[in-house]
Amino acid sequence: MSLLLKIRRIILTGFMGAGKSTVGPLLAQSLGWDFVDVDTAIETRSGKTVAEIFAEQGEPVFRALEAESIRELTGRESLVLALGGGAVETESTRNLLARLDCTCVLFLDAPLEILIARCVAQPLAAERPVLADREGLLRRFNARLPYYRDAHLTVTTAGLSPQLVVARIIEALNRHHAMETVTEDVPTR
Ligand code: S3P
């Protein structure tokens, strides 16, 4: 049985600019699943943009809303869910990701310079509160990396189009299954 048949949701993690919101809908489309971006879900629910929540209520309020939205959304099936880059900073979210059944947590990886260049090139770059804090970026990136690396799968995205990243993801999921099969076939001593 393919690993793709065993998993019911894919959760995309990675720093800002990793491609979660670009690759996510394409991946969902290729699987015939739904796509939800946690930031968009928070904005719809609160009637405010992420930047407004940061500015008016502060980051801790945003993190609490984010953790609650993730907890609710991870109950859904046939879903590709894109987390905000800072979601892994919240311990309860990390614990939730570690214990979800039938779920593939997938880290979209790229070097920080590439991530920043991608963010800066986007039309709403000025509204990204974490991007605005350039001094804090490297600190946040380094603090989050070990959490991102806890993912079940890592796919590097540098130099790849979103379509190629989706192809790599599907390939990685199938390869992962092949490795599992080989391991299972090895006689135990
Ligand atoms: C954040 C990343 C953003 C958004 C918020 C905070 C972060 O999401 O959740 O601005 O702390 O890195 P993206 O990773 O989708 O840009």
Side-chain angles (χ1 to χ4, degrees):
M1 186 169 61
S2 161
L3 182 68
L4 279 168
L5 293 177
K6 284 194 265 177
I7 58 172
R8 298 191 189 136
R9 59 190 80 78
I10 296 176
I11 300 183
L12 301 178
T13 69
F15 207 64
M16 284 179 301
K20 305 177 295 280
S21 314
T22 316
V23 166
L26 295 175
L27 178 63
Q29 193 183 29
S30 74
L31 296 172
W33 288 4
D34 294 330
F35 170 73
V36 176
D37 183 301
V38 173
D39 284 341
T40 309
I42 295 168
E43 291 182 337
T44 306
R45 186 171 160 179
S46 65
K48 291 180 180 182
T49 65
V50 169
E52 284 167 348
I53 301 170
F54 264 77
E56 294 167 16
Q57 294 166 282
E59 183 169 346
V61 170
F62 172 77
R63 295 293 169 210
L65 287 171
E66 181 178 50
E68 200 181 326
S69 300
I70 293 170
R71 195 171 32 78
E72 283 173 17
L73 289 164
T74 48
R76 284 178 53 174
E77 298 192 349
S78 306
L79 181 72
V80 175
L81 184 66
L83 303 189
V88 294
E89 284 189 10
T90 305
E91 191 182 6
S92 63
T93 298
R94 296 199 299 273
N95 293 338
L96 175 73
L97 297 183
R99 66 166 191 264
L100 280 171
D101 284 334
C102 302
T103 302
C104 177
V105 179
L106 202 153
F107 170 33
L108 294 179
D109 192 15
L112 185 59
E113 317 82 76
I114 291 184
L115 297 167
I116 294 175
R118 284 183 190 155
C119 290
V120 170
Q122 288 169 2
L124 295 177
E127 291 188 22
R128 285 173 179 265
V130 170
L131 186 65
D133 172 20
R134 287 301 167 88
E135 282 181 10
L137 267 185
L138 183 62
R139 181 183 45 79
R140 285 193 193 251
F141 183 73
N142 287 333
R144 292 171 185 178
L145 260 184
Y147 301 138
Y148 295 144
R149 287 185 175 144
D150 272 343
H152 301 111
L153 283 179
T154 296
V155 170
T156 42
T157 66
L160 299 181
S161 66
Q163 289 76 8
L164 263 177
V165 173
V166 170
R168 291 273 168 94
I169 292 172
I170 308 270
E171 203 182 289
L173 289 167
N174 287 323
R175 192 166 356 105
H176 186 74
H177 165 63
M179 282 161 59
E180 271 190 353
T181 311
V182 169
T183 312
E184 279 162 16
D185 284 344
V186 172
T188 48
R189 276 181 276 167

